[in-house]
Amino acid sequence: MTAADTLADPRIPFPDTDRPLACRRNPEWFRHDPYDPDPTARATGDLEQARKACGRCPIARQCLLWALAHPELTRTDIWAATTLQMRGALRRRLTLRLGEDWVAQVAATEKARAQRARRTPAP
Ligand code: SF4
């Protein structure tokens, strides 16, 4: 078991997909380390490219939910077009709206959504 496995919240797993993802093809675009002591080295990625790629990503919504539910695993880099600071702001809004255990509520909503999708016949 890796450290990432220990920190993973099974209620919101990273979306399973075999589609090609820009962050796997071009990980250098997504590099953003707000903790780097050298301010000029904090954003070495191409944020504009990363954000555009996330905007076209088929799993962007699920990726964002995973990133929000996993603050310890997303302390750096761009996830679903968000920086660490943006994710912090979104978590604060979710806490205000849904309470401290917002992850449980989001996970329940996602589970219901997945069940509905399975019941809906493909066009
Ligand atoms: S939305 Fe997430 S999975 Fe998709 S390209 Fe962006 S970082 Fe990768």
Side-chain angles (χ1 to χ4, degrees):
M1 180 177 274
T2 66
D5 291 335
T6 309
L7 296 170
D9 186 331
R11 294 174 297 178
I12 302 192
F14 191 80
D16 189 23
T17 182
D18 52 9
R19 312 259 300 263
L21 301 176
C23 55
R24 292 183 181 151
R25 279 197 319 263
N26 301 99
E28 68 280 3
W29 294 350
F30 296 78
R31 295 211 176 97
H32 186 258
D33 184 355
Y35 299 105
D36 194 306
D38 175 1
T40 61
R42 286 179 188 160
T44 56
D46 186 333
L47 301 191
E48 199 51 42
Q49 287 282 19
R51 287 191 175 132
K52 280 184 190 161
C54 291
R56 295 187 296 266
C57 179
I59 60 166
R61 189 181 60 79
Q62 299 98 319
C63 174
L64 176 61
L65 294 178
W66 178 86
L68 293 175
H70 292 86
E72 293 302 321
L73 298 177
T74 55
R75 290 170 59 82
T76 61
D77 298 332
I78 301 298
W79 292 91
T82 62
T83 61
L84 176 72
Q85 188 181 25
M86 294 161 80
R87 291 188 293 277
L90 288 169
R91 283 188 200 101
R92 286 190 291 280
R93 283 169 54 186
L94 281 165
T95 302
L96 281 173
R97 217 173 85 206
L98 301 174
E100 287 296 326
D101 199 14
W102 60 265
V103 174
Q105 291 199 45
V106 169
T109 302
E110 285 302 294
K111 191 173 171 186
R113 181 193 294 264
Q115 285 170 345
R116 274 196 310 275
R118 278 195 296 274
R119 284 196 301 263
T120 306

